[in-house]
Amino acid sequence: MTVILIALAVALLVGVLIGCTLCERLVEARTRRQAAEQRLLNSQWQELADQRRELEDARQELARQRDAGTRRPTRSA
C-alpha cells in the first residue's frame, strides 16, 4: 500500500513538473509572438507618421506655390 502511495505521489509530482515546464514554454512562445507583433505595429505606426509628415510638407509646399502664383503681378500685353 505504501509503495502504491509513493508511486502515485511521484507520478503526481512528475506530472506537475512536466505541466509547469510546458506552461512556461507556452507563455514564453506567446510573449515572443506578442513582441514580434508589437514591433510590426510600431514600424507601421512609424511609417504612417513619416507619410503623414511628407503629406503635410507637400500640402504646405502646394499652398506656398499657390500663394506665390497669386501674388505675381499680371502682365498685360
Side-chain angles (χ1 to χ4, degrees):
M1 180 73 171
T2 305
V3 174
I4 293 174
L5 288 176
I6 291 173
L8 286 175
V10 168
L12 178 66
L13 288 175
V14 169
V16 168
L17 288 174
I18 290 172
C20 287
T21 301
L22 289 176
C23 185
E24 185 176 309
R25 287 186 182 186
L26 288 173
V27 168
E28 288 173 358
R30 183 180 66 188
T31 302
R32 285 192 300 273
R33 282 193 311 270
Q34 287 175 337
E37 287 294 321
Q38 188 64 49
R39 284 190 300 273
L40 178 63
L41 286 172
N42 289 345
S43 68
Q44 289 175 345
W45 274 111
Q46 185 61 47
E47 185 178 336
L48 281 173
D50 293 343
Q51 290 176 353
R52 190 176 302 126
R53 255 185 259 114
E54 288 176 12
L55 181 61
E56 186 58 35
D57 291 345
R59 285 182 186 168
Q60 289 176 0
E61 180 62 28
L62 183 60
R64 281 193 292 271
Q65 289 175 357
R66 285 183 186 161
D67 288 345
T70 57
R71 290 183 186 170
R72 289 185 188 163
T74 57
R75 295 184 184 178
S76 55

